[in-house]
Amino acid sequence: MPLRRLRSYRKTLAFRLTLWYAGVFAVSSCVAFLLFYTLITSVFRDRTDQELLGQAREFSTVLAARGLEAVKSLAMLEAQAAGVKKVFFRLLSSSGQVFSSSNMSYWQDIDIREAAIKELVRDRRNVFETITIPNRKDKVRVLHVMVGTGIILQIGQSMEADSRFIDAFKNIFVITMVLLVGLAAGVGWFMARRAVSGVEAVTRTAREISGGTLDKRVPVGTRGDEIDQLAATFNQMLGRIQALVTEIKEMSDNIAHDLKSPITRIRGTAEVTLTTGKAIGEYESMAAGTVEECDRLLDMINTMLMITKAESGLDKLNDEGIDLARLVRDACELLEPVAEDKGLGLTCDTPDACHLVGDRRMLQRILANLLDNALKYTSSGGAVKVSLSEKDGEEVVVAVQDTGVGIPAGDLPHIFERFYRCDHSRSEPGTGLGLSLARAFARAHQGDIAVTSTSGQGSTFTLILPRNKGT
Ligand code: ADP
């Protein structure tokens, strides 16, 4: 594997997780080994001690029954039977003087243990020692015990068999450890790779997106684990970014197409006045026209900004408790004079009160736009009827019904688009933004606006608002 690739692997989460996994495994195995090792050695030592004590008991019985000479020959016999390299016996006086011993040629390095003898004489308690002989691998367990009055027995037993077993155990442990740590690293690597594969998918998608494709999404698994949640959240964020980018694009398209014409008009009027106009009156009317056009332009820009903010969710609702029935009646009252001027009948049918939570300013604007349109697109003698009702206790419905020009079926799917105006509206003032704004505000309340219309007979716009919108 090239060095650079190895270095880049070292930085990965999967590599570090594997290292941790293998490390924790190795440390816990070592701890387990140490515990086991301590247990085994202590079991072996106890067993040896019991054997030594058993022999000491035998010696003291023989001494009591048959005297010192019998004990001396017992020492010889026992040492020969067990093997002179395995055990030795020494009979000592309490001052450390040797009475007798088994064949000590193999045990020359083990001297009279004065400290042990003193301790035995002083405390009257058996003294065990584990002695290491220089240049010899195996240790010796030695017991000093009083077998008769003033007679001390020193018994030593080689721990060679135990050491062999423990060495074999150590070797097996090391080999097993190496294999298991290798296996643990492999399993750890596999698991870590599996765990981070979801993160890699997110990274890949993010990389593709930075290359310009906002419509890509990370595949979301079905396990519902942290990675799936990350992928789902990432996709949600992408959806939101995509919506915002689309908004910005639409906005700039609108600026390019629809705001250009009023500006061109203003410029054209000014140019014509400058080149042809002579009288001050002509300049005055040009200035008045410019102010009017600029107001219209500003109104359009503000409305567009409001739509964009409402649609993108940037405009937070100023929620408060509202009596919608009252809001509807107020709107009707406000526009009553307009209806009268135009010779239209305006009726308002609402319950006494209808409470819900919403943004007063937005709801007023929706009602004003719908009513304004109904009055605008209904000719003299017609009627506009506004009604408020509740549906299943969950929704509130405001219907604005008119007997006006109606909307041709071909236009119906487009009337909520920005700047869309039907042919019949050319003679009426307007920007084509009113319905877009009304619907954006309704949707910001988790509601909507629906329309039914028959060309030449009239239209009904229905504002639907949830009574309890989720926050
Ligand atoms: P405008 O400023 O043109 O009224 P809107 O967005 O409010 O813009 O409406 C978009 C178009 O929908 C209008 O131009 C009009 O053609 C049509 N429209 C809206 N309301 C009505 C209505 N009540 N009756 C007939 N046509 C309507």
Side-chain angles (χ1 to χ4, degrees), residues 245-259:
V245 169
T246 313
E247 283 291 328
I248 293 167
K249 200 173 161 309
E250 274 178 20
M251 179 99 169
S252 50
D253 283 355
N254 289 158
I255 290 171
H257 293 121
D258 300 278
L259 298 186

Side-chain angles (χ1 to χ4, degrees), residues 296 369-378 400-408 411 414-426 428-438 451 453 458-461:
R296 209 172 109 80
N369 281 7
L370 295 182
L371 260 169
D372 188 51
N373 277 352
L375 297 174
K376 198 160 62 173
Y377 299 113
T378 306
V400 180
Q401 191 181 357
D402 66 56
T403 57
V405 287
I407 302 164
D411 287 325
H414 303 290
I415 56 169
F416 290 98
E417 288 169 15
R418 283 172 216 185
F419 295 105
Y420 191 87
R421 306 198 75 206
C422 310
D423 284 341
H424 64 247
S425 338
R426 302 284 167 222
E428 295 292 342
T431 57
L433 290 172
L435 284 181
S436 309
L437 182 69
V451 58
S453 184
S459 320
T460 303
F461 282 83

